[in-house]
Amino acid sequence: MYGMIHCAVREMVVGQLGVDEWASLEREAKITLADQISLKVYDDALTMRIMEAASERLGLTLPDCLVAFGRHWIGFAANGSFKSIMDFTGDDIVTFVGNLDQMHRAVVRTLTSARMPSFRIVERGLESFKVQYRSERNGLERFVDRKSTRLNSSHVRTSR
C-alpha cells in the first residue's frame, strides 16, 4: 500500500480521537514516522496492521473501518496535496470515476512498484451509476464501499 494511505488513516484517527490515541496506535501497531512517508510503497501487511489498530481504537469492525476510511479518503485526497491531480480528473463524480484509471497510471510513473486498482463504470442511470472495482489485493473492497454512498448528489455502487 502507499504512505499516503497511512497519512490519511492518521488524519482520520487524530480527527476523531486525538493525537494521544494516534501515538498509542503507533506504539501498538509498531509503526514509526518512517512508515508514513506519503510517496513510498509499503507492504500491505503493514497497512492492514494499521487499519486493524485503527478499527479497534474507533470501535469499528475492520470492514466498517474500511468503509469509514474510504469516505474519509475522498476528502483527504480532494483537499490535500492530491487536489491538483484530482482537479484534472473531472468536474463531476461520474467523469472523475471514469478517469481514475488514467490518474492511477500517472501515479505509477512516480511510484513504479505501485499496484493500483481499476475502476470502470458498468451502468449509468439518471441519478446513479454502478462501478466495477478490480484489484489484485484481497480484503480492500470495503475501502471502495459496496454499499450505496452519497457523493456529490450521486450514488456510487461498487461490485467486484
Side-chain angles (χ1 to χ4, degrees):
M1 201 49 94
Y2 320 103
M4 60 192 89
I5 297 291
H6 299 173
C7 294
V9 174
R10 179 182 63 219
E11 181 186 273
M12 182 176 84
V13 171
V14 168
Q16 291 185 35
L17 303 175
V19 174
D20 292 340
E21 281 296 317
W22 176 257
S24 178
L25 183 150
E26 284 180 324
R27 287 188 299 277
E28 176 186 312
K30 297 181 172 98
I31 61 171
T32 67
L33 289 176
D35 297 321
Q36 300 167 60
I37 298 171
S38 187
L39 291 176
K40 186 174 175 189
V41 178
Y42 295 93
D43 187 274
D44 287 349
L46 172 64
T47 302
M48 293 312 292
R49 196 167 70 233
I50 293 169
M51 291 305 302
E52 288 166 0
S55 69
E56 288 176 24
R57 293 249 183 270
L58 295 167
L60 299 170
T61 65
L62 181 58
D64 287 344
C65 188
L66 285 166
V67 169
F69 178 65
R71 292 176 180 160
H72 178 81
W73 172 254
I74 294 165
F76 175 85
N79 297 311
S81 58
F82 307 105
K83 182 181 182 345
S84 60
I85 295 169
M86 292 178 75
D87 286 345
F88 288 111
T89 310
D91 292 331
D92 60 81
I93 190 67
V94 175
T95 305
F96 175 80
V97 171
N99 288 324
L100 274 175
D101 285 0
Q102 182 178 346
M103 181 179 75
H104 284 153
R105 281 191 293 278
V107 170
V108 170
R109 282 187 225 125
T110 302
L111 295 169
T112 56
S113 61
R115 299 176 329 201
M116 296 298 206
S118 176
F119 298 84
R120 185 171 68 93
I121 296 175
V122 293
E123 192 177 300
R124 184 172 175 180
L126 292 174
E127 294 186 29
S128 66
F129 62 101
K130 188 173 183 177
V131 175
Q132 181 182 51
Y133 165 79
R134 292 182 185 204
S135 177
E136 60 186 69
R137 295 182 161 98
N138 291 317
L140 297 175
E141 300 85 15
R142 295 298 296 237
F143 174 70
V144 181
D145 188 3
R146 290 180 157 224
K147 300 176 192 173
S148 237
T149 301
R150 179 135 335 250
L151 294 172
N152 297 338
S153 302
S154 296
H155 291 279
V156 178
R157 293 185 196 102
T158 60
S159 64
R160 192 159 198 250

mmCIF file of all heavy atoms in Angstrom, residues 1-2 15 30 32 34-35 37 41 53 57 64 84 86 102 112 115 121 128 132 158:
data_model
loop_
_atom_site.group_PDB
_atom_site.id
_atom_site.type_symbol
_atom_site.label_atom_id
_atom_site.label_comp_id
_atom_site.label_asym_id
_atom_site.label_seq_id
_atom_site.Cartn_x
_atom_site.Cartn_y
_atom_site.Cartn_z
ATOM 1 N N MET A 1 0.852 -1.159 0.000
ATOM 2 C CA MET A 1 0.000 0.000 0.000
ATOM 3 C C MET A 1 0.899 1.224 0.000
ATOM 4 O O MET A 1 2.108 1.110 -0.015
ATOM 5 C CB MET A 1 -0.900 -0.061 1.230
ATOM 6 C CG MET A 1 -2.157 0.760 1.170
ATOM 7 S SD MET A 1 -3.165 0.619 -0.284
ATOM 8 C CE MET A 1 -4.314 -0.588 0.197
ATOM 9 N N TYR A 2 0.335 2.370 0.046
ATOM 10 C CA TYR A 2 1.089 3.592 -0.149
ATOM 11 C C TYR A 2 1.054 4.460 1.094
ATOM 12 O O TYR A 2 0.057 4.515 1.800
ATOM 13 C CB TYR A 2 0.533 4.343 -1.374
ATOM 14 C CG TYR A 2 0.210 3.341 -2.451
ATOM 15 C CD1 TYR A 2 -1.089 2.951 -2.717
ATOM 16 C CD2 TYR A 2 1.245 2.691 -3.115
ATOM 17 C CE1 TYR A 2 -1.364 1.969 -3.644
ATOM 18 C CE2 TYR A 2 0.981 1.704 -4.039
ATOM 19 C CZ TYR A 2 -0.316 1.346 -4.307
ATOM 20 O OH TYR A 2 -0.577 0.355 -5.208
ATOM 21 N N GLY A 15 -8.341 13.080 13.927
ATOM 22 C CA GLY A 15 -9.547 13.903 13.844
ATOM 23 C C GLY A 15 -10.665 13.420 14.748
ATOM 24 O O GLY A 15 -11.423 14.219 15.297
ATOM 25 N N LYS A 30 3.257 -0.902 16.154
ATOM 26 C CA LYS A 30 4.709 -0.888 15.893
ATOM 27 C C LYS A 30 5.036 -0.187 14.579
ATOM 28 O O LYS A 30 5.736 -0.727 13.718
ATOM 29 C CB LYS A 30 5.270 -2.295 15.919
ATOM 30 C CG LYS A 30 5.137 -2.955 17.274
ATOM 31 C CD LYS A 30 5.728 -4.349 17.263
ATOM 32 C CE LYS A 30 5.753 -4.902 18.654
ATOM 33 N NZ LYS A 30 4.702 -5.759 19.036
ATOM 34 N N THR A 32 6.290 3.687 12.788
ATOM 35 C CA THR A 32 7.054 4.894 13.055
ATOM 36 C C THR A 32 6.735 5.941 11.997
ATOM 37 O O THR A 32 5.998 5.671 11.044
ATOM 38 C CB THR A 32 8.566 4.601 13.021
ATOM 39 O OG1 THR A 32 8.917 4.271 11.670
ATOM 40 C CG2 THR A 32 8.938 3.452 13.948
ATOM 41 N N ALA A 34 8.652 6.809 9.774
ATOM 42 C CA ALA A 34 9.190 6.277 8.519
ATOM 43 C C ALA A 34 8.162 5.425 7.772
ATOM 44 O O ALA A 34 8.281 5.213 6.567
ATOM 45 C CB ALA A 34 10.450 5.453 8.784
ATOM 46 N N ASP A 35 7.147 4.947 8.475
ATOM 47 C CA ASP A 35 6.084 4.159 7.849
ATOM 48 C C ASP A 35 4.947 5.047 7.335
ATOM 49 O O ASP A 35 3.911 4.547 6.913
ATOM 50 C CB ASP A 35 5.507 3.150 8.850
ATOM 51 C CG ASP A 35 6.527 2.130 9.298
ATOM 52 O OD1 ASP A 35 7.326 1.692 8.446
ATOM 53 O OD2 ASP A 35 6.540 1.791 10.497
ATOM 54 N N ILE A 37 5.574 7.902 5.163
ATOM 55 C CA ILE A 37 6.080 8.771 4.106
ATOM 56 C C ILE A 37 5.114 8.666 2.935
ATOM 57 O O ILE A 37 4.862 7.584 2.414
ATOM 58 C CB ILE A 37 7.516 8.370 3.702
ATOM 59 C CG1 ILE A 37 8.453 8.534 4.905
ATOM 60 C CG2 ILE A 37 7.984 9.200 2.507
ATOM 61 C CD1 ILE A 37 9.836 7.962 4.699
ATOM 62 N N VAL A 41 5.944 3.152 -1.238
ATOM 63 C CA VAL A 41 5.112 1.951 -1.278
ATOM 64 C C VAL A 41 5.494 1.073 -0.090
ATOM 65 O O VAL A 41 6.676 0.852 0.167
ATOM 66 C CB VAL A 41 5.303 1.183 -2.603
ATOM 67 C CG1 VAL A 41 4.476 -0.097 -2.617
ATOM 68 C CG2 VAL A 41 4.935 2.072 -3.793
ATOM 69 N N ALA A 53 -5.576 -1.775 13.889
ATOM 70 C CA ALA A 53 -5.407 -0.998 15.121
ATOM 71 C C ALA A 53 -6.368 0.190 15.131
ATOM 72 O O ALA A 53 -6.954 0.517 16.172
ATOM 73 C CB ALA A 53 -3.959 -0.529 15.260
ATOM 74 N N ARG A 57 -9.426 1.033 17.872
ATOM 75 C CA ARG A 57 -9.490 2.323 18.566
ATOM 76 C C ARG A 57 -10.809 3.043 18.300
ATOM 77 O O ARG A 57 -11.337 3.713 19.170
ATOM 78 C CB ARG A 57 -8.347 3.223 18.121
ATOM 79 C CG ARG A 57 -7.005 2.730 18.540
ATOM 80 C CD ARG A 57 -6.426 3.664 19.587
ATOM 81 N NE ARG A 57 -5.092 3.254 19.963
ATOM 82 C CZ ARG A 57 -4.825 2.412 20.957
ATOM 83 N NH1 ARG A 57 -5.790 1.885 21.640
ATOM 84 N NH2 ARG A 57 -3.594 2.109 21.265
ATOM 85 N N ASP A 64 -16.139 -2.231 8.562
ATOM 86 C CA ASP A 64 -16.762 -0.920 8.761
ATOM 87 C C ASP A 64 -15.721 0.191 8.823
ATOM 88 O O ASP A 64 -15.966 1.313 8.371
ATOM 89 C CB ASP A 64 -17.620 -0.913 10.031
ATOM 90 C CG ASP A 64 -18.910 -1.699 9.861
ATOM 91 O OD1 ASP A 64 -19.297 -1.993 8.701
ATOM 92 O OD2 ASP A 64 -19.538 -2.026 10.893
ATOM 93 N N SER A 84 -4.680 18.941 -6.809
ATOM 94 C CA SER A 84 -4.398 19.376 -8.183
ATOM 95 C C SER A 84 -4.531 18.218 -9.167
ATOM 96 O O SER A 84 -5.029 18.397 -10.277
ATOM 97 C CB SER A 84 -3.011 20.006 -8.286
ATOM 98 O OG SER A 84 -2.024 19.078 -7.912
ATOM 99 N N MET A 86 -6.509 15.592 -8.723
ATOM 100 C CA MET A 86 -7.932 15.281 -8.809
ATOM 101 C C MET A 86 -8.690 16.316 -9.635
ATOM 102 O O MET A 86 -9.650 15.989 -10.324
ATOM 103 C CB MET A 86 -8.527 15.147 -7.414
ATOM 104 C CG MET A 86 -7.998 13.924 -6.682
ATOM 105 S SD MET A 86 -8.632 13.772 -5.017
ATOM 106 C CE MET A 86 -10.293 13.219 -5.346
ATOM 107 N N GLN A 102 -6.802 6.382 -15.441
ATOM 108 C CA GLN A 102 -5.820 7.271 -16.055
ATOM 109 C C GLN A 102 -4.997 7.974 -14.967
ATOM 110 O O GLN A 102 -3.777 8.090 -15.079
ATOM 111 C CB GLN A 102 -6.525 8.293 -16.945
ATOM 112 C CG GLN A 102 -5.594 9.228 -17.662
ATOM 113 C CD GLN A 102 -6.347 10.192 -18.558
ATOM 114 O OE1 GLN A 102 -7.523 10.021 -18.855
ATOM 115 N NE2 GLN A 102 -5.657 11.234 -18.999
ATOM 116 N N THR A 112 6.728 3.467 -9.114
ATOM 117 C CA THR A 112 6.799 2.411 -10.132
ATOM 118 C C THR A 112 6.426 1.026 -9.618
ATOM 119 O O THR A 112 6.013 0.173 -10.392
ATOM 120 C CB THR A 112 8.199 2.367 -10.771
ATOM 121 O OG1 THR A 112 9.164 2.202 -9.738
ATOM 122 C CG2 THR A 112 8.481 3.642 -11.548
ATOM 123 N N ARG A 115 0.758 -0.997 -7.205
ATOM 124 C CA ARG A 115 -0.228 -1.894 -7.833
ATOM 125 C C ARG A 115 -1.596 -1.269 -7.612
ATOM 126 O O ARG A 115 -2.216 -1.472 -6.575
ATOM 127 C CB ARG A 115 -0.146 -3.278 -7.212
ATOM 128 C CG ARG A 115 1.204 -3.928 -7.388
ATOM 129 C CD ARG A 115 1.283 -5.252 -6.690
ATOM 130 N NE ARG A 115 0.432 -5.275 -5.501
ATOM 131 C CZ ARG A 115 0.572 -6.100 -4.491
ATOM 132 N NH1 ARG A 115 1.524 -6.974 -4.485
ATOM 133 N NH2 ARG A 115 -0.234 -6.068 -3.458
ATOM 134 N N ILE A 121 -16.950 2.218 -15.024
ATOM 135 C CA ILE A 121 -18.394 2.432 -14.911
ATOM 136 C C ILE A 121 -19.069 1.406 -15.805
ATOM 137 O O ILE A 121 -18.800 1.344 -17.007
ATOM 138 C CB ILE A 121 -18.781 3.862 -15.301
ATOM 139 C CG1 ILE A 121 -18.139 4.841 -14.307
ATOM 140 C CG2 ILE A 121 -20.300 4.021 -15.349
ATOM 141 C CD1 ILE A 121 -18.334 6.293 -14.636
ATOM 142 N N SER A 128 -27.836 7.624 -10.648
ATOM 143 C CA SER A 128 -26.901 6.689 -10.035
ATOM 144 C C SER A 128 -26.056 6.027 -11.111
ATOM 145 O O SER A 128 -26.360 6.131 -12.299
ATOM 146 C CB SER A 128 -27.650 5.614 -9.236
ATOM 147 O OG SER A 128 -28.417 4.803 -10.099
ATOM 148 N N GLN A 132 -17.443 -0.999 -11.385
ATOM 149 C CA GLN A 132 -16.755 -2.268 -11.176
ATOM 150 C C GLN A 132 -15.363 -1.929 -10.646
ATOM 151 O O GLN A 132 -14.631 -1.149 -11.252
ATOM 152 C CB GLN A 132 -16.643 -3.037 -12.482
ATOM 153 C CG GLN A 132 -15.963 -4.379 -12.309
ATOM 154 C CD GLN A 132 -15.838 -5.092 -13.640
ATOM 155 O OE1 GLN A 132 -15.357 -4.525 -14.608
ATOM 156 N NE2 GLN A 132 -16.303 -6.323 -13.669
ATOM 157 N N THR A 158 -20.489 -0.287 -5.887
ATOM 158 C CA THR A 158 -19.333 -0.997 -6.416
ATOM 159 C C THR A 158 -19.606 -2.482 -6.475
ATOM 160 O O THR A 158 -20.386 -3.012 -5.713
ATOM 161 C CB THR A 158 -18.078 -0.760 -5.552
ATOM 162 O OG1 THR A 158 -18.355 -1.217 -4.239
ATOM 163 C CG2 THR A 158 -17.693 0.697 -5.533
#
